Amino acid sequence: MTSEKKQRTLSTFESFAVAGVSTSICTCFVHPLDVIRIRMQLDSEGGGARLFRNPLHCATSIYKADGITGMYAGISAGLFRQIVYGMPRMAIYSNGLAYFTTPGQPLEMTTKLTIGAGAGTIASLIGVPAD
């Protein structure tokens, strides 16, 4: 006996909600690394004495000076970008896959690439003016 579970597809609203939440959560994990990267890049400019020896030293210096909030400085811009660019890109892509998928048949790679390019283009048109 084979038990087949019927997969429930997400509504368009649910797709956008899941995409928005997931991209925002990712931003919360990655943002401290971006803060460290940017501080280290700025530290190497100007030719003066370097403040940070390595990324770990940079992270501990930020934490000592500003606490945990220092690692999340500027996160509002990252979250805004994910809402206006990341969320539409992922939601449009997943809805596009669902629209063009025939049950029991895999999608061709060219179709997936076209859906991805279209999703990225549409999301860029939405997100770039706000970025």
Side-chain angles (χ1 to χ4, degrees), residues 28-79:
C28 290
F29 282 100
V30 173
H31 189 77
L33 300 174
D34 282 339
V35 169
I36 293 167
R37 177 184 54 84
I38 291 166
R39 295 267 183 108
M40 290 193 68
Q41 286 174 337
L42 293 174
D43 186 37
S44 66
E45 289 183 356
R50 295 187 68 141
L51 299 173
F52 310 118
R53 295 186 299 269
N54 55 49
L56 184 59
H57 180 249
C58 180
T60 56
S61 297
I62 293 168
Y63 184 76
K64 285 177 185 174
D66 302 321
I68 194 70
T69 57
M71 299 299 277
Y72 287 93
I75 194 166
S76 59
L79 291 172

Side-chain angles (χ1 to χ4, degrees), residues 75-93:
I75 194 166
S76 59
L79 291 172
F80 181 71
R81 182 178 191 280
Q82 292 308 326
I83 296 301
V84 298
Y85 173 70
M87 178 179 66
R89 179 177 42 97
M90 289 181 65
I92 292 167
Y93 180 74

